Amino acid sequence: MSGNKAVAYKGPGVVEVIDVDYPTFELKDGPGVNPANVGRKVPHGVILRTVATNICGSDQHMVRGRTTAPTDLVLGHEITGEVVEVGSDVEFIKVGDICSVPFNISCGRCRNCKERKTGICLNVNPDRPGSAYGYVDMGGWVGGQAEYVLVPYADWNLLKFPDRDQALEKMLDLTMLSDIFPTGFHGAVTAGVTVGSTVYIAGAGPVGLAAATSAHLLGAAVVIVGDMNADRLAQARTFGCETIDLSQGDPGSQIEQLLGIPEVDCAVDAVGFEAKGHGHGAGEAPATVLNSLMDITAAGGAMGIPGLYVTGDPGGIDAAAQKGALSLSLGTGWAKSLSFTTGQCPVMKYNRGLMMAILHDKVSIAKNVNAKAISLLDAPRGYAEFDAGAATKYVLNPNGYLN
C-alpha cells in the first residue's frame, strides 16, 4: 500500500482533501506531531481501512481558526474501521474485524487508564495527560478523516463489533460510539440524570442531541434543549424534547413557562468556549453557558460539561479568553453546592453498553442527530454546511462501505 487520501486543515475556514502517506507502525514527523513522539514504535497497533469517520464540532473549532492547529493537520477523531494490518504485539484483534475507535488514545497501562480515566492517559502525549487523533496539542497522532488510519494499543482501545453484517447495517448508529454518543451520555451521567429528572441541555448540535438522547435513555421526565438555531431545535423536538429559543432571552424564564419553576435538577453544557450571550443579536460571551447553568440548576445539583474549553484561542474576545480564563460566577456555584464535571469523556467507560443498546434497538442515535453519509471528497462541503448551522451530523464514507 502507498496511497491514502485525507481531510486536512489548510487555514481558517479551509479544509482540503489531500494525499498523505499510508500509515506505518511508527510515528513519523508531520504537522502537529510532538517531536518527542517522532520515531515512536507502534507494534501494539493496527491499521484500519476507514468504514465511517465523522465531522465533529470540536473539528470546527480548529477549522474556524480558534485554536493553534497547524496547517496541513489531518483531521478526524471519530473513527470506525475494518482491520487490514495488525502489529506484531497485537494478540486478540484480527484482520477483518470491524471496530469502533474511542477518540481518546490511551495505553491501558498507566495509573489513570487502570482507574478508567482514559481521557487523561499519561503515556500517549508528551505535553499533557490525554490524547486524541487529528487534534491540536494532543500528541500528533494522525487523524482518521482518511482512507486508512493507525490505531495504537489496539487490543486495549478497539471495541470490536460482534457481527459484521449487523454492524454494517447499523453503521450510522454505531459510528457515533467513537465520540458523540458516549460524550453526550457522559454529560448526562455526570449531571446526575436519573429516572424522573428534569434536564436542561445547552446546545442543539450533535453532542447536545446525543446528551438529550442519553437523558431519555436514563429515564428523565423532561428534557429541555436550548439553542438559537431553529432547525436544530426542530430536530430536538423530533424525539420528544422540549425546546427553548435563546435568541428570545435567558433560559430561566422560558424554563419556568415549561416547568412552573425557573430551574432544573440537572444541566449539561454542550456548547463550549464559542458560546454567545442570550437574546437577539447577542455576541460572543464565552462564560454565558456556564454562568446560566449555575443560575438554573437546583441547589445540590450537578452540571456535566462536555462542551470544549481550551487554553489557547487566538480568536478569543479578549486577552483572558485567549488563554481560556473566563469570568465565572463561581460564588453562585459554591453557594448552591453545585458539582461540576469537565474534560474529555472517557469513552471506554460507556461505549460497550451503548453499543448493546444500539444493537438491540433500544436507541436510534443516528436518527436523533440526523446523520447523513457523504463521500470523503465532499468533506469541505460538509464542513461548510455544518459551520453554517445545518441540523445534520455528517458521516464521511471514504471507502464505500455506507449506502
Side-chain angles (χ1 to χ4, degrees), residues 11 15 39 45 106 115 129 162 166 174 203 238 240 285-286 296 313 315 345 371 390 393 396:
V15 298
S106 57
E115 292 177 356
Q166 184 187 33
L174 294 172
T238 65
I296 65 170
D313 173 12
C345 162
K393 176 67 172 177
L396 302 181

Side-chain angles (χ1 to χ4, degrees), residues 72-87:
D72 287 328
L73 180 75
V74 174
L75 302 168
H77 55 271
E78 300 190 11
I79 308 163
T80 308
E82 179 178 7
V83 178
V84 293
E85 294 186 47
V86 298

Side-chain angles (χ1 to χ4, degrees), residues 38-402:
V38 174
R40 184 170 181 165
K41 307 295 185 184
V42 191
H44 43 70
V46 301
I47 295 171
L48 297 182
R49 180 188 294 120
T50 306
V51 173
T53 178
N54 316 327
I55 296 175
C56 180
S58 297
D59 298 320
Q60 286 288 175
H61 293 305
M62 289 189 292
V63 172
R64 292 186 189 118
R66 297 299 297 267
T67 71
T68 55
T71 300
D72 287 328
L73 180 75
V74 174
L75 302 168
H77 55 271
E78 300 190 11
I79 308 163
T80 308
E82 179 178 7
V83 178
V84 293
E85 294 186 47
V86 298
S88 59
D89 289 353
V90 177
E91 184 175 1
F92 303 112
I93 294 294
K94 306 298 182 185
V95 170
D97 289 346
I98 295 183
C99 306
S100 178
V101 184
F103 79 90
N104 328 103
I105 302 172
S106 57
C107 71
R109 307 170 186 185
C110 70
R111 172 181 175 176
N112 284 350
C113 285
K114 290 178 179 179
E115 292 177 356
R116 303 184 78 189
K117 301 173 184 175
T118 54
I120 45 174
C121 174
L122 300 174
N123 288 331
V124 288
N125 183 354
D127 281 342
R128 65 182 72 174
S131 190
Y133 304 87
Y135 213 85
V136 60
D137 296 332
M138 287 291 187
W141 300 87
V142 178
Q145 288 176 14
E147 292 173 316
Y148 298 91
V149 63
L150 171 69
V151 174
Y153 302 103
D155 282 328
W156 165 255
N157 278 306
L158 291 178
L159 174 67
K160 176 184 172 181
F161 299 135
D163 181 87
R164 178 188 178 88
D165 291 339
Q166 184 187 33
L168 291 174
E169 179 186 347
K170 293 181 175 290
M171 186 52 60
L172 280 182
D173 291 290
L174 294 172
T175 189
M176 305 305 164
L177 293 173
S178 58
D179 182 357
I180 68 162
F181 198 7
T183 293
F185 195 82
H186 181 61
V189 167
T190 56
V193 178
T194 188
V195 174
S197 298
T198 57
V199 185
Y200 174 68
I201 295 164
V207 170
L209 297 179
T213 300
S214 301
H216 285 303
L217 197 59
L218 290 164
V222 182
V223 180
I224 305 167
V225 178
D227 205 296
M228 296 181 178
N229 182 315
D231 290 340
R232 290 181 173 182
L233 291 174
Q235 181 63 29
R237 291 193 291 273
T238 65
F239 59 97
C241 299
E242 301 287 347
T243 60
I244 59 177
D245 181 355
L246 296 173
S247 68
Q248 302 302 309
D250 68 86
S253 59
Q254 297 184 68
I255 289 172
E256 186 171 18
Q257 293 175 33
L258 291 169
L259 299 180
I261 55 174
E263 65 181 22
V264 291
D265 300 322
C266 316
V268 178
D269 173 5
V271 177
F273 72 102
E274 288 192 66
K276 295 181 179 179
H278 299 139
H280 182 69
E284 188 167 313
T288 297
V289 173
L290 294 172
N291 285 329
S292 67
L293 295 194
M294 284 190 278
D295 286 337
I296 65 170
T297 303
M303 294 164 47
I305 309 173
L308 176 66
Y309 290 87
V310 296
T311 56
D313 173 12
I317 60 172
D318 53 35
Q322 289 169 14
K323 60 181 182 180
L326 308 183
S327 181
L328 297 180
S329 180
L330 190 60
T332 301
W334 191 93
K336 296 175 74 174
S337 295
L338 300 179
S339 300
F340 304 71
T341 301
T342 65
Q344 289 186 33
C345 162
V347 170
M348 293 174 68
K349 188 173 182 179
Y350 308 108
N351 62 352
R352 186 185 181 279
L354 295 175
M355 176 189 75
M356 295 300 288
I358 290 169
L359 294 179
H360 291 277
D361 299 318
K362 299 300 182 184
V363 66
S364 300
I365 184 65
K367 179 180 178 181
N368 290 2
V369 301
N370 194 26
K372 179 181 180 182
I374 61 175
S375 72
L376 190 72
L377 294 177
D378 274 340
R381 175 178 64 83
Y383 270 97
E385 292 179 0
F386 187 47
D387 191 49
T392 304
K393 176 67 172 177
Y394 289 100
V395 177
L396 302 181
N397 181 24
N399 290 299
Y401 285 86
L402 306 178

